[in-house]
Amino acid sequence: MFTREKLIEVLSSDYVLFAKARGEKGLDLVLRHGVRNVALPAITLQFLGFSELFGGAVLVEQVFAYPGIGRAAVAAGLGSDVPLLLGIVIISALFVFSGNLIADIIYKFVDPRIKQQEAAV
């Protein structure tokens, strides 16, 4: 819904109106001016969900009594099992870090300004 709303906002902006006045239309207009400007926020939101996976796992596994990493984390916390809890925290931190790293790598391919900033540094 966020991406759709952002695309509608971008397609009603002044530079898209100027592109329409130059003769661009249809799919080319949406791809060049719409999707290009909406891609970065969409990627950010998609990979932000990596951290929510563990919170959701804890909740779902406790409510429905499923065995899994969330339930193991709660049991380790309640039972003072520090090594298990530390292992779960490290694995979840690596999972979230890898999601953010993947998002940053995708940014380099989507946004040409990032390549220009690296060249300037």
Side-chain angles (χ1 to χ4, degrees):
M1 287 177 55
F2 175 79
T3 305
R4 179 184 177 276
E5 195 66 36
K6 195 73 169 167
L7 184 62
I8 290 170
E9 179 184 323
V10 165
L11 290 178
S12 64
S13 65
D14 289 339
Y15 62 90
V16 173
L17 183 65
F18 181 70
K20 286 179 185 178
R22 284 190 323 221
E24 291 184 40
K25 57 185 170 185
L27 187 62
D28 187 43
L29 177 74
V30 172
L31 289 176
R32 282 184 94 193
H33 299 288
V35 174
R36 185 179 259 180
N37 289 309
V38 174
L40 289 180
I43 291 168
T44 303
L45 283 175
Q46 290 300 318
F47 285 97
L48 187 65
F50 269 43
S51 62
E52 296 170 358
L53 286 174
F54 282 101
V58 170
L59 180 68
V60 169
E61 290 171 9
Q62 282 299 319
V63 169
F64 296 109
Y66 291 148
I69 195 164
R71 191 168 176 137
V74 171
L78 293 175
S80 299
D81 190 0
V82 176
L84 177 61
L85 191 60
L86 185 62
I88 292 172
V89 168
I90 288 173
I91 295 297
S92 64
L94 288 173
F95 186 72
V96 172
F97 173 76
S98 66
N100 289 335
L101 182 66
I102 292 169
D104 287 341
I105 291 169
I106 292 173
Y107 284 168
K108 287 186 178 188
F109 292 110
V110 173
D111 193 5
R113 294 175 296 180
I114 294 175
K115 293 176 188 172
Q116 293 173 354
Q117 288 175 355
E118 288 179 354
V121 173

